[in-house]
Amino acid sequence: MRIFHLLTARHGATLLKATLLWLFCFSSAWAATTASVDRNPVAIDETFLLTISSDEAGFFDSSPDFSALNHQFNILSTSQQTSSVNGDTTRSWSLTLSPKTQGKVSIPAIEVADQKTQPIVMNILSVKQAPRGGSSNSNNQLYVEASADQNTVYKGAEFIYTVRVYASIQLARGSELNQPDFADATVKELDNNQFQKRINGVAYTILERRYAVFPQSTGELEIAPAVLKARVPYGRSSVFGQSQVRTVTRRSEMTTVNVIDPPESFQGANWLPASQLTLQQQWSKDPKQLMVGDSITRTIQQQASGLIAIQLAPIQEPKIDGLKFYADKPKLEDSATATGSVATRSDSYAIIATRAGSFTLPAIDISWWNTSSNRLEHATLPATTVVVAANPDQAITTIAPTAPNNNLQAPAPTSIRGDTPPPAQQTGTTLWQISTGLFALLWLATLAYCFKLRRPPSSMATTPPSNKADANEKDAYAELKSACDNNDARQAESTLLSWGKTFYPGASISSVSDILLASQSEPLKHAWQQLQNNIYRDDSTTWQGDSLLSAIDNCRNATSKNEEELASLYPR
């Protein structure tokens, strides 16, 4: 019996130890904390999913510290999930990461409560090392390419930068392609295209975005990689037909373009590197069939391929005695074609002939550099002759009575009865009296007609101007005066046309040139040219509105004085 108790005690102790060891091992296995990635290796322009799971969810509340990952990776998103099966709770975290460097990169151990995950060594490939097209690897299903159509360009010349996104999978809503950073360059987005293409037997949807780039400084122009943040489906669809979506990042390689100075052989006033430049002109009517007082509009259009409109210089109007020039607002337009940007600039000015004669407008020559043939070229317009004839409607003809001709002899009438004809002196006197009376009647008729022309119609003499029209003019003048007082050039430009339409209601005012024609005011013309120079010719000085306002006031005062004089001449 004693031996039995001894054996029982010995075996009981052994059994207890075995039971405790089994419970410890089971507990260790049950409380496992793990880290895993969805794929390895990955490319530098890709993202991958890191999942950390722990069965210790019931023993802690706070989330793990993931800050150690920031040394080698970008944390793009983090999500958390908790599940419970038969009373066993599991907590997991999913992190979308993108690598910062290439080569062998380690994901450090992450501490969860009192346990740590095992480190994971990631193999990060370069963009060139990563395979492209025709395989099931997700890196081939979605990638980005960027390129420039030229390796070396002149400063200010155009090159085309193209970004393409290749996708053999469906992208979810919310995917974004960043705007490239071109540093010191002017950029115009040309177009966005989408088309299909098969690569190694795999169908791809290609999203293409093109930019016209005009570098503004010489040296190496480095264009940062294009970055796509795409939302792509993964895993199985839910019972509602919706797939899980994750964010992935794709990058192109950096693009470098060498920018050089203009060639020394170019001696033009304005550096214009273009693949084509043309110069054309249009006239509102035949410039060789004008009369004094006529107005004609000349429009000169520059069009250049491979430039933007702000690079085209204005065409200066000439100064010619006998012709007055009134410049209108230039029109600038940029358009996109399959080959790049096309710039158009139109300069228009009205010409008023002030005297008769033949006038020669000088030839126009624009030097530009042909980037296709790499040589200097010229766009020209030949000299143009403007012929102005006297205006008969403006000539003042005075009809004066003609002195009598005492020597005027009338043929002697044939006497039927053989009477002696009257003396010659008596016949001349009779004709003189008839001529004098006739000319006197004509002179009186002329005076009466001129008096009728000078006298305004009764409606003009008796009907005062419309109160509504007068109020509109005052409102327009107040806006114009405010713009001039504030030295606001842009506002003055727009309000001047509004004022002119109300101040000259009888004239057809559609542009400032029409206002200048109606006013015939040299101060107003000079003030308008100063305003245009400040706005459109890169005048860095602050525009002063006092000269324009003074010219407007002179026009208003002159009109008021004329109305008072008419009122005194033709009282009601």
Side-chain angles (χ1 to χ4, degrees):
M1 189 69 177
R2 181 179 177 85
I3 295 175
F4 174 78
H5 284 293
L6 288 174
L7 290 174
T8 302
R10 181 180 297 176
H11 286 289
T14 302
L15 182 61
L16 179 61
K17 290 180 180 179
T19 301
L20 292 174
L21 179 61
W22 178 81
L23 289 173
F24 176 78
C25 293
F26 178 80
S27 175
S28 298
W30 176 77
T33 298
T34 61
S36 62
V37 294
D38 61 341
R39 54 199 178 85
N40 190 10
V42 296
I44 184 67
D45 63 346
E46 293 184 317
T47 61
F48 63 94
L49 195 65
L50 170 64
T51 302
I52 298 174
S53 300
S54 177
D55 296 332
E56 292 278 338
F59 301 97
F60 62 90
D61 296 323
S62 60
S63 297
D65 182 9
F66 299 121
S67 60
L69 296 171
N70 291 323
H71 297 293
Q72 300 291 347
F73 304 93
N74 296 307
I75 302 176
L76 303 180
S77 65
T78 303
S79 62
Q80 177 182 314
Q81 186 176 4
T82 302
S83 61
S84 180
V85 179
N86 297 327
D88 297 331
T89 301
T90 301
R91 199 173 183 185
S92 62
W93 293 264
S94 297
L95 294 87
T96 302
L97 305 179
S98 65
K100 293 182 177 180
T101 58
Q102 299 173 191
K104 300 293 184 180
V105 180
S106 178
I107 297 177
I110 303 298
E111 184 174 356
V112 181
D114 58 349
Q115 296 187 7
K116 288 186 177 181
T117 63
Q118 292 294 322
I120 301 175
V121 177
M122 298 293 298
N123 184 17
I124 309 301
L125 306 177
S126 67
V127 175
K128 291 183 177 180
Q129 290 175 318
R132 300 292 190 196
S135 88
S136 60
N137 190 299
S138 63
N139 188 57
N140 305 318
Q141 296 174 347
L142 181 65
Y143 60 96
V144 181
E145 290 183 350
S147 62
D149 66 339
Q150 301 178 63
N151 295 324
T152 302
V153 297
Y154 287 111
K155 175 183 176 181
E158 177 192 60
F159 71 87
I160 307 301
Y161 179 75
T162 303
V163 179
R164 286 183 174 180
V165 176
Y166 293 78
S168 63
I169 56 177
Q170 186 71 30
L171 300 184
R173 183 174 298 178
S175 301
E176 294 181 354
L177 179 64
N178 75 320
Q179 290 290 338
D181 182 9
F182 296 98
D184 189 13
T186 300
V187 181
K188 291 283 187 180
E189 185 172 332
L190 295 176
D191 50 37
N192 286 280
N193 300 313
Q194 179 175 328
F195 53 93
Q196 307 293 324
K197 184 178 181 180
R198 296 191 72 86
I199 302 176
N200 296 332
V202 178
Y204 282 86
T205 297
I206 300 177
L207 308 175
E208 181 184 76
R209 187 177 293 175
R210 298 193 310 137
Y211 302 86
V213 185
F214 304 86
Q216 301 302 306
S217 59
T218 57
E220 293 289 330
L221 175 61
E222 293 184 345
I223 305 173
V227 179
L228 171 69
K229 291 184 178 180
R231 291 170 54 81
V232 298
Y234 75 99
R236 295 182 178 180
S237 301
S238 67
V239 294
F240 300 102
Q242 296 179 343
S243 300
Q244 292 180 300
V245 176
R246 67 177 180 180
T247 301
V248 299
T249 301
R250 298 289 185 269
R251 292 182 178 86
S252 70
E253 291 188 295
M254 178 179 290
T255 305
T256 302
V257 177
N258 184 31
V259 184
I260 59 177
D261 284 316
E264 295 181 357
S265 58
F266 183 83
Q267 300 297 324
N270 186 31
W271 168 240
L272 295 174
S275 58
Q276 185 179 14
L277 194 148
T278 59
L279 195 58
Q280 297 178 340
Q281 68 174 343
Q282 289 183 341
W283 294 87
S284 60
K285 54 187 174 182
D286 190 348
K288 295 185 178 181
Q289 296 184 3
L290 301 180
M291 290 190 296
V292 174
D294 282 355
S295 172
I296 187 173
T297 300
R298 185 190 194 190
T299 301
I300 301 175
Q301 183 186 80
Q302 305 174 65
Q303 190 171 79
S305 299
L307 292 176
I308 49 180
I310 59 175
Q311 292 177 277
L312 299 174
I315 302 295
Q316 301 287 350
E317 64 272 13
K319 294 183 179 180
I320 299 176
D321 184 27
L323 300 177
K324 291 185 177 181
F325 296 84
Y326 299 91
D328 208 344
K329 180 180 178 179
K331 296 180 180 179
L332 307 180
E333 181 182 357
D334 291 310
S335 58
T337 67
T339 57
S341 179
V342 176
T344 304
R345 180 188 179 102
S346 298
D347 291 283
S348 298
Y349 47 83
I351 305 174
I352 301 176
T354 59
R355 65 178 177 86
S358 180
F359 308 93
T360 300
L361 305 184
I364 298 175
D365 182 278
I366 297 178
S367 301
W368 63 285
W369 190 263
N370 191 323
T371 55
S372 299
S373 60
N374 203 32
R375 66 179 183 181
L376 176 67
E377 294 195 16
H378 295 267
T380 60
L381 283 178
T384 304
T385 301
V386 176
V387 179
V388 182
N391 191 340
D393 294 336
Q394 293 184 351
I396 301 176
T397 304
T398 302
I399 303 177
T402 305
N405 185 1
N406 294 330
N407 297 322
L408 182 62
Q409 299 290 332
T414 303
S415 177
I416 299 177
R417 295 180 299 174
D419 296 337
T420 303
Q425 180 66 32
Q426 183 179 356
T427 304
T429 302
T430 303
L431 290 175
W432 175 83
Q433 291 174 344
I434 295 174
S435 299
T436 301
L438 178 61
F439 280 117
L441 290 174
L442 291 174
W443 181 248
L444 291 175
T446 302
L447 288 177
Y449 180 71
C450 292
F451 179 78
K452 182 178 180 181
L453 288 179
R454 285 196 59 191
R455 184 174 182 87
S458 58
S459 60
M460 292 179 59
T462 59
T463 304
S466 168
N467 292 333
K468 181 178 180 181
D470 186 56
N472 291 339
E473 190 277 334
K474 289 182 179 179
D475 291 341
Y477 171 77
E479 292 182 3
L480 177 57
K481 183 177 184 301
S482 175
C484 292
D485 291 340
N486 295 326
N487 299 323
D488 188 340
R490 292 284 184 181
Q491 185 67 15
E493 181 187 34
S494 62
T495 54
L496 177 59
L497 182 59
S498 301
W499 170 81
K501 291 179 178 180
T502 60
F503 191 71
Y504 298 105
S508 178
I509 303 296
S510 59
S511 67
V512 175
S513 298
D514 296 331
I515 299 176
L516 300 178
L517 290 175
S519 67
Q520 292 294 307
S521 169
E522 285 296 328
L524 182 58
K525 174 190 173 184
H526 181 67
W528 170 248
Q529 289 177 338
Q530 286 182 331
L531 177 64
Q532 293 291 284
N533 291 340
N534 184 274
I535 296 177
Y536 300 107
R537 296 182 183 173
D538 298 330
D539 192 342
S540 59
T541 60
T542 302
W543 176 74
Q544 301 296 325
D546 51 355
S547 60
L548 177 60
L549 184 60
S550 176
I552 294 297
D553 289 339
N554 289 339
C555 292
R556 299 178 85 235
N557 293 336
T559 302
S560 299
K561 184 177 180 181
N562 291 338
E563 291 176 351
E564 291 175 359
E565 291 177 353
L566 284 174
S568 62
L569 289 173
Y570 307 106
R572 298 178 59 180

